[in-house]
Amino acid sequence: MNKIINPQREKTKSRIAWTVAITLAVIWVVVTVGPFIFMVVNSFRDKKMMGRQGVLHFPDPWYFQNYPDVISNGFFGYFFRSLFIVSISLILMLIISSFAAYPLARMKFKLRGFLYAGIVAMMSVPMHVTLIPVYQMTNQMGLINNLFSLLGPYVAFALPMSVFILTGFMMTIPSEMEEAARIDGCNKYNMFFRIILPLSKAGLSTLAIYNAVGMWNEFAFANTFLNDIRVKTLPLALGAFKGEHSQDTPLILTVLTLSALPTVVMFIIFQDKLVKGMMAGAVKG
Amino acid sequence: MKKFLALVLAALMVLSAVSALAESEKNIPELTTEPMTILLWDIATEGVGRTAQEDAVNRFMADYPNIHVEQIHKQNDTYKQDLQVGFSAKEGQPDMYIHWGGGPMAEYYKSGCVNDITELFNTYDHPDFIDAAVAQSTYDGKVLAIPFGGLSGCDIFYNKAIFDELGIEVPQTIAELEAACDKIKEAGYYPFSLANLPRWTGSMYYMYLVARHSGNAEFDAAYDGTGSFTSPAFIYAGEKIQDWVNKGYFNDGFNSMAPDNNDDRALLIQGAAAMMLHGSWQVAGIKNDDEEFYNDNLGVFRFPIDEEAQAAGVPQDVEIGTAIGNGFSFNCWLDAEHTQVDEEKLKACYVLATQYYNDETYNAIQVEGGNTPSIKGYENVDDPNNKVVIDVFFSASNVQLWYDQYLPASVTEVHKDMMGALFGLEKTPEEVGQAQDAAMAAARAE
Amino acid sequence: MAKLQGMAKRDARSTAIAATIFLFPAVALLIVYMVYPIIDTFLISRLKWNGFYTAEKINVGWDNWKTLIQDELFWNSFLHNVILMVCSILIQIPLGMALATFLDASGRKSNIFKILWFLPYLMSSVAVGFLFYYLLATNGGLISGIATLVNGKRTMVDLLGKNPHALYAVIGVVAWQYTPFYMVYFIAGYSNIDTSLYEAAVIDGANRRQYIFKVAIPLLGPIFKTACTMSLIGSLKYFDLIWNMTQGGPNHGTELMATYMYKTSFQKFNMGYGSAIAGGMFILITVIALLFQKVFVVKEDY
């Protein structure tokens, strides 16, 4: 008798739970959005007024000149170069890492354990260590001041983490699905494209987001390889507003706001894929 | 009347011909007529510096159409790292690059990336640099750089309105300065505005207190190993600073504030702080931020003297700062191992640095932007605040380059860490001195 | 029997070929851009050298490594890394999980939350460092403001300028920036769970909470462990925000292995010792990560 659930009480309980959850959710929105607003609001401030007004008050008056200033300073050049190199790097990285994760997750072969451990080890390579050797290589290849010099480092540095995550994702794919496909006459190569890749969509979108943000904001390699103003990427655009003794903070925030926009848009598009990703495939199977 | 005019004109023409002749007699090396490319690295990303420096390069290229100067503007905050990475490769090293003199210049030289230009400097024309600038461009008796950035002193900026309100006179001695601070503190203002996140700002107080207490003697001794960073002047400076911190002479949270964001300057402009010890570039900076405040309220005075030390015969004329601001060094070689000098390219770099940078056009832009070239004859400036800075500078018997540029790089880092710990009251003046001694000893051993 | 064995052999060989083909591009890139530099690092760690091509390279054997083992600053930095690691795992992962669970339970209609919650991750570290510089400012910052309100009198909180709270302040900011990533990661994990499992659970009479704790979370196990590994490695080689906010200060209170290595190599011109630090870092992180894998990640059966 005790075990019979009282639907009325359950409903009240659940309503309370939801109210609490939504309140917390809204508080968390303040925590995450507040700073974003800070960034945007301060991009509408006149640098000269910053000293007097501080940064935590609304600008008075609102100053709109920063945006035309940034845009006339070649912003779109920086922007499209970044877009170009990040897109290519990202696509290449996703292809190569899913290629690598497949055998690591779904095949038995001799060096599997060793390669997997090696990839985990590669995750622990600190980036600054590679700066000098990679610079020397890039120099020898004659790629200094060439946008494509970033391709190798961007793909390579995203690989270990991506392979690691994707391997984890692919391991959770039920082996029955593979069995079924094998009976249908799929070989190892078809299997990857027909079964494994579609089922890894959720993992791939996570990785796309994770790495796109990293590459989009990458500074150290770009700063080292690209000297010519005609090939510089977006994070280097900030340099034009930093002097030896001071920087133009509102202009920097303007650049940062403008550079964050595409990643926001991209997330809005991709986040939907995150949910659909695997479910669609799994239900069919 | 017409005749007279013609006469005047004729006279003028003769005069200009003579001066043109004088110009053509300039003693500068003859440059190659073959095509040549000079790779130049600077940090002129913005402002007056960029205008002046791009203009100098363009004028050079117009006069020598066969020479192309590839002028690269690097970002200041990562510049030292960029230079090091650049020098790590066989190819693609800059032929001519900016630095701040001091310890790093010596390091670049010892690593084979600086041409010795003593001979060029003694043979050919160059601007009449002030002695301190030549001294700071010299290492081990060799001239290694051509200054071009203008000098920077270090003085106390103050809010005249607060001083007037409290009836404070410009302090002449450290004791008077402390009395003024007490009064200011009591009235509810911060005596000093300080942004000590990068530590070289706090270092200014340390350097001046040491210099006032012992002239250059104790620092020089600590530097070459005959003395120590724990000698009386250093302990005095450390104790004074910690005493001032305890008395609340500095604004809250100074150890996590950054001067790059101009937050220290903002406290002064807002009227929250009465004084700020800072580099003379702040003259142009404050003027640019708030011209009204600048004209009505801003004053500058020199770091006050140590009366006791003066009575004991310690000179009180040391000025902290830099006489060269930025200097160009040259890195022109025929081989990757840097054993054979590329004389042709070196000459071209020398002409560019001495005759286009540092010429009248260049210096006029510099002065317009509030900088003072480190060349004799530029002592006379109109701006009253700048004049205080410059007068002090030109009359100072000796200029002590900022410790953080003067010391070897490894010691600089320790010095900066220690300035954070000293102001943060985490280490005693004694410990601060010992750490610097240890770093200095290690650097000397190399 | 023999025929069967032959087939197995042929199968093993075709697997090996397929594995090689699929792995080749990744392995090649990793060798060029990561294995080679790390070997180079170990070689340089036996030199006294400032990184300049034309400068003298002096072989000092294991001197740098001997110094490293006794270097208090290095071990202190390592300790900070470990604190950062523990805090990151304890804050970012549960929080990310909670956010993802909320989003999963409320479905499509909470998309707006998902987007807003993700914003911190989309801001570059420069912007984040800058922002918190002002929010944490002693004078006029948000924290001081709140403290003043709570105390009823003017209270100055110097979070970044004093030890030990500077480290915790920075850890908080790191958590703020990275939690959204784990949130998205767990959402992807939730979406991997077959909807039929939820339906089955409901038919069995389970409510939402029971489904989450009894069915979903155990199924997320592997994802959870991957997330921990990522957080672990990420924290142990962290550099970004610390560099933007405190540069390792005050008095090395927020010094991490990576900032220490960077300062040594690039600001003190000591590439040899900097490489030893980097090498030590690489060994420590790899060992910790592999141990973690061994202890917590049970070999998958497949």
Side-chain angles (χ1 to χ4, degrees):
Chain A
M1 278 307 270
N2 280 345
K3 278 194 179 158
I4 291 174
I5 297 162
N6 177 346
Q8 198 56 48
R9 204 197 290 156
E10 272 300 297
K11 221 177 202 174
T12 325
K13 242 166 102 185
S14 133
R15 198 170 293 154
I16 292 171
W18 273 112
T19 317
V20 172
I22 286 177
T23 314
L24 290 175
V26 170
I27 292 175
W28 193 247
V29 166
V30 175
V31 173
T32 56
V33 177
F36 205 83
I37 292 173
F38 166 92
M39 176 173 80
V40 177
V41 164
N42 275 292
S43 70
F44 289 102
R45 194 185 296 280
D46 183 353
K47 181 202 170 196
K48 290 183 178 170
M49 301 307 266
M50 227 183 86
R52 287 209 160 171
Q53 296 174 346
V55 289
L56 297 171
H57 303 275
F58 280 106
D60 178 35
W62 289 70
Y63 180 77
F64 297 97
Q65 197 52 39
N66 289 336
Y67 283 83
D69 280 357
V70 165
I71 287 168
S72 65
N73 220 308
F75 177 81
F76 286 111
Y78 290 111
F79 180 88
F80 284 113
R81 282 188 294 272
S82 264
L83 192 66
F84 175 73
I85 192 69
V86 169
S87 321
I88 296 185
S89 309
L90 198 61
I91 292 168
L92 209 62
M93 189 280 297
L94 288 175
I95 294 172
I96 296 179
S97 60
S98 49
F99 271 9
Y102 170 51
L104 289 176
R106 316 291 313 182
M107 291 179 197
K108 273 184 193 165
F109 56 96
K110 245 190 208 157
L111 286 175
R112 206 202 75 102
F114 171 78
L115 284 173
Y116 189 70
I119 281 171
V120 173
M122 287 306 113
M123 291 203 307
S124 27
V125 175
M127 177 256 136
H128 289 102
V129 161
T130 62
L131 208 50
I132 281 192
V134 174
Y135 174 77
Q136 290 168 335
M137 264 186 323
T138 311
N139 216 326
Q140 259 164 2
M141 291 189 274
L143 282 178
I144 296 299
N145 280 333
N146 187 331
L147 208 48
F148 284 101
S149 61
L150 297 176
L151 191 60
Y154 282 9
V155 174
F157 274 84
L159 269 181
M161 191 68 91
S162 306
V163 173
F164 179 71
I165 292 183
L166 273 180
T167 308
F169 255 88
M170 288 181 183
M171 276 176 177
T172 60
I173 296 172
S175 49
E176 298 85 52
M177 299 179 91
E178 228 174 340
E179 260 340 295
R182 190 168 298 143
I183 289 162
D184 287 351
C186 258
N187 63 20
K188 292 191 181 68
Y189 306 93
N190 293 336
M191 187 90 72
F192 174 73
F193 292 103
R194 291 228 193 117
I195 310 288
I196 305 292
L197 203 54
L199 289 182
S200 305
K201 260 194 219 151
L204 284 171
S205 354
T206 316
L207 285 177
I209 290 165
Y210 179 75
N211 291 305
V213 175
M215 291 173 189
W216 189 252
N217 294 323
E218 201 283 329
F219 176 82
F221 281 120
N223 180 50
T224 316
F225 298 165
L226 309 175
N227 284 326
D228 192 328
I229 193 115
R230 283 162 298 191
V231 291
K232 286 187 176 178
T233 54
L234 204 43
L236 303 183
L238 295 181
F241 308 112
K242 279 184 178 177
E244 191 181 343
H245 295 302
S246 70
Q247 57 186 28
D248 192 328
T249 307
L251 272 175
I252 288 178
L253 288 175
T254 307
V255 179
L256 291 172
T257 305
L258 284 172
S259 2
L261 284 181
T263 48
V264 174
V265 171
M266 183 182 140
F267 178 69
I268 293 174
I269 296 168
F270 265 85
Q271 55 88 21
D272 218 32
K273 293 263 187 305
L274 282 178
V275 191
K276 279 196 246 159
M278 176 101 185
M279 254 174 349
V283 174
K284 250 187 271 158
Chain B
M1 189 65 207
K2 263 189 183 163
K3 229 177 185 177
F4 175 72
L5 212 70
L7 215 72
V8 171
L9 267 174
L12 272 174
M13 271 165 72
V14 170
L15 260 175
S16 66
V18 168
S19 70
L21 201 72
E23 209 154 286
S24 71
E25 271 178 61
K26 256 186 185 172
N27 178 22
I28 56 173
E30 195 157 322
L31 300 190
T32 175
T33 47
E34 301 288 307
M36 175 190 280
T37 303
I38 295 174
L39 180 57
L40 184 159
W41 280 17
D42 60 35
I43 52 162
T45 47
E46 46 106 61
V48 184
R50 179 165 174 178
T51 323
Q53 297 182 31
E54 286 183 352
D55 176 67
V57 166
N58 287 334
R59 283 184 290 116
F60 174 81
M61 291 200 290
D63 287 355
Y64 298 96
N66 57 316
I67 303 178
H68 175 73
V69 180
E70 199 179 334
Q71 191 179 19
I72 301 290
H73 305 307
K74 297 296 268 184
Q75 198 169 313
N76 175 55
D77 44 9
T78 53
Y79 179 70
K80 277 188 197 162
Q81 169 215 308
D82 294 342
L83 206 52
Q84 197 179 358
V85 175
F87 286 144
S88 78
K90 214 168 13 175
E91 283 145 24
Q93 297 189 0
D95 300 313
M96 167 170 178
Y97 57 95
I98 169 224
H99 59 65
W100 293 265
M105 178 177 82
E107 182 89 22
Y108 302 144
Y109 172 67
K110 283 186 275 186
S111 304
C113 294
V114 177
N115 294 113
D116 176 0
I117 52 167
T118 316
E119 217 186 294
L120 282 175
F121 194 79
N122 291 336
T123 314
Y124 297 108
D125 281 0
H126 54 76
D128 195 5
F129 294 115
I130 57 171
D131 298 344
V134 177
Q136 280 180 17
S137 308
T138 307
Y139 172 79
D140 202 12
K142 301 178 181 80
V143 180
L144 300 181
I146 299 293
F148 72 97
L151 43 84
S152 293
C154 178
D155 298 280
I156 298 180
F157 297 82
Y158 72 104
N159 185 331
K160 285 182 189 162
I162 296 180
F163 272 44
D164 287 347
E165 179 199 321
L166 303 176
I168 301 172
E169 295 287 312
V170 168
Q172 302 297 322
T173 65
I174 292 176
E176 282 176 31
L177 178 71
E178 289 180 307
C181 286
D182 290 333
K183 223 169 182 178
I184 294 164
K185 175 79 189 157
E186 210 167 298
Y189 303 105
Y190 296 123
F192 287 111
S193 162
L194 170 65
N196 198 30
L197 180 63
R199 315 305 182 211
W200 49 260
T201 33
S203 171
M204 290 170 173
Y205 290 85
Y206 189 70
M207 293 185 286
Y208 261 126
L209 287 166
V210 170
R212 290 292 177 263
H213 203 74
S214 70
N216 307 86
E218 290 191 24
F219 176 72
D220 287 345
Y223 182 81
D224 65 25
T226 52
S228 157
F229 284 97
T230 56
S231 62
F234 290 98
I235 300 298
Y236 164 81
E239 281 172 352
K240 266 273 174 282
I241 286 170
Q242 297 198 326
D243 182 39
W244 292 0
V245 170
N246 283 323
K247 284 188 186 157
Y249 284 6
F250 301 101
N251 49 288
D252 295 295
F254 56 81
N255 244 0
S256 48
M257 255 168 63
D260 278 5
N261 297 332
N262 301 331
D263 290 338
D264 40 4
R265 177 151 106 206
L267 284 180
L268 190 70
I269 295 176
Q270 285 163 2
M275 296 179 276
M276 176 173 80
L277 174 64
H278 222 298
S280 54
W281 56 85
Q282 291 291 351
V283 175
I286 295 171
K287 194 171 178 179
N288 195 27
D289 265 14
D290 201 325
E291 196 151 359
E292 200 187 315
F293 172 84
Y294 181 84
N295 292 329
D296 299 345
N297 285 340
L298 188 82
V300 185
F301 63 89
R302 198 170 179 224
F303 198 89
I305 61 165
D306 182 338
E307 241 177 337
E308 269 174 53
Q310 191 185 34
V314 175
Q316 297 293 312
D317 60 351
V318 179
E319 177 72 5
I320 304 288
T322 170
I324 61 170
N326 308 137
F328 269 127
S329 277
F330 311 117
N331 181 36
C332 308
W333 311 90
L334 292 168
D335 59 336
E337 268 61 44
H338 293 188
T339 54
Q340 282 174 291
V341 179
D342 184 345
E343 298 286 355
E344 290 301 317
K345 194 178 259 189
L346 184 58
K347 278 187 209 156
C349 290
Y350 179 82
V351 169
L352 171 59
T354 55
Q355 307 299 322
Y356 293 85
Y357 286 82
N358 286 316
D359 73 349
E360 273 174 33
T361 319
Y362 176 85
N363 288 333
I365 305 176
Q366 285 279 78
V367 170
E368 185 67 25
N371 296 327
T372 309
S374 23
I375 300 172
K376 286 174 195 158
Y378 281 91
E379 304 90 311
N380 304 314
V381 289
D382 301 332
D383 183 288
N385 290 318
N386 228 349
K387 188 157 174 44
V388 175
V389 176
I390 300 312
D391 281 352
V392 163
F393 214 96
F394 277 84
S395 68
S397 73
N398 58 71
V399 176
Q400 170 60 55
L401 179 61
W402 322 105
Y403 290 179
D404 64 302
Q405 288 176 6
Y406 185 75
L407 295 168
S410 57
V411 186
T412 290
E413 289 312 305
V414 174
H415 168 69
K416 289 201 286 189
D417 286 344
M418 287 305 116
M419 288 303 107
L422 184 71
F423 278 80
L425 306 178
E426 302 202 30
K427 284 213 156 68
T428 64
E430 189 77 21
E431 291 169 330
V432 165
Q434 286 161 354
Q436 297 180 103
D437 273 341
M440 199 64 232
R444 262 195 312 270
E446 280 179 11
Chain C
M1 194 62 196
K3 202 177 170 190
L4 227 103
Q5 239 169 17
M7 255 174 76
K9 222 181 207 168
R10 196 157 2 111
D11 203 41
R13 198 189 305 146
S14 83
T15 304
I17 291 170
T20 311
I21 290 173
F22 277 113
L23 276 162
F24 179 76
V27 171
L29 264 175
L30 288 179
I31 286 175
V32 173
Y33 283 99
M34 306 199 86
V35 179
Y36 160 65
I38 201 77
I39 292 174
D40 202 39
T41 301
F42 279 100
L43 294 178
I44 294 172
S45 77
R46 290 167 51 83
L47 301 175
K48 186 170 135 36
W49 184 46
N50 62 7
F52 289 50
Y53 178 77
T54 45
E56 198 185 356
K57 294 179 183 180
I58 304 165
N59 194 328
V60 291
W62 296 107
D63 277 8
N64 287 331
W65 286 88
K66 283 178 199 153
T67 314
L68 185 72
I69 287 169
Q70 292 162 10
D71 187 348
E72 215 176 298
L73 252 177
F74 174 73
W75 293 109
N76 241 326
S77 312
F78 175 62
L79 179 71
H80 295 151
N81 274 109
V82 171
I83 296 174
L84 172 67
M85 173 187 92
V86 172
C87 292
S88 296
I89 292 179
L90 290 183
I91 301 171
Q92 295 169 19
I93 290 177
L95 199 54
M97 183 87 158
L99 298 174
T101 307
F102 175 85
L103 293 173
D104 185 64
S106 52
R108 265 286 174 75
K109 56 185 178 287
S110 61
N111 259 358
I112 184 71
F113 281 121
K114 193 195 303 169
I115 292 162
L116 296 179
W117 285 347
F118 196 66
L119 287 179
Y121 190 71
L122 295 176
M123 286 172 75
S124 82
S125 291
V126 180
V128 174
F130 194 75
L131 162 76
F132 280 93
Y133 170 80
Y134 282 110
L135 288 183
L136 302 180
T138 315
N139 198 358
L142 195 66
I143 305 295
S144 288
I146 292 171
T148 303
L149 266 181
V150 171
N151 275 2
K153 60 172 201 264
R154 194 160 166 270
T155 313
M156 292 289 148
V157 186
D158 188 6
L159 272 177
L160 289 177
K162 291 233 165 77
N163 289 322
H165 36 270
L167 181 64
Y168 294 96
V170 178
I171 288 175
V173 179
V174 176
W176 176 85
Q177 196 188 14
Y178 280 89
T179 301
F181 171 70
Y182 292 102
M183 172 188 91
V184 163
Y185 189 62
F186 287 123
I187 295 173
Y190 269 121
S191 73
N192 249 1
I193 298 171
D194 206 322
T195 36
S196 61
L197 280 175
Y198 175 60
E199 280 150 22
V202 171
I203 289 165
D204 288 347
N207 61 18
R208 258 282 167 198
R209 201 184 51 211
Q210 284 163 333
Y211 160 72
I212 289 168
F213 285 101
K214 297 255 166 70
V215 181
I217 290 183
L219 275 174
L220 286 180
I223 294 270
F224 187 76
K225 283 164 193 154
T226 315
C228 285
T229 312
M230 284 175 66
S231 182
L232 181 145
I233 293 176
S235 311
L236 288 177
K237 64 173 200 180
Y238 198 71
F239 178 83
D240 255 23
L241 265 180
I242 297 267
W243 193 251
N244 282 329
M245 292 177 69
T246 65
Q247 305 218 335
N251 197 17
H252 301 292
T254 57
E255 200 77 77
L256 301 180
M257 291 189 287
T259 57
Y260 186 43
M261 185 247 319
Y262 182 84
K263 282 181 183 174
T264 308
S265 299
F266 291 106
Q267 294 192 328
K268 297 188 180 177
F269 293 121
N270 196 344
M271 201 46 77
Y273 190 53
S275 297
I277 299 175
M281 215 176 135
F282 173 74
I283 293 172
L284 282 171
I285 303 176
T286 308
V287 167
I288 295 176
L290 288 177
L291 272 180
F292 182 86
Q293 293 287 308
K294 266 255 148 41
V295 176
F296 292 97
V297 184
V298 186
K299 278 225 166 115
E300 301 295 321
D301 220 335
Y302 58 91

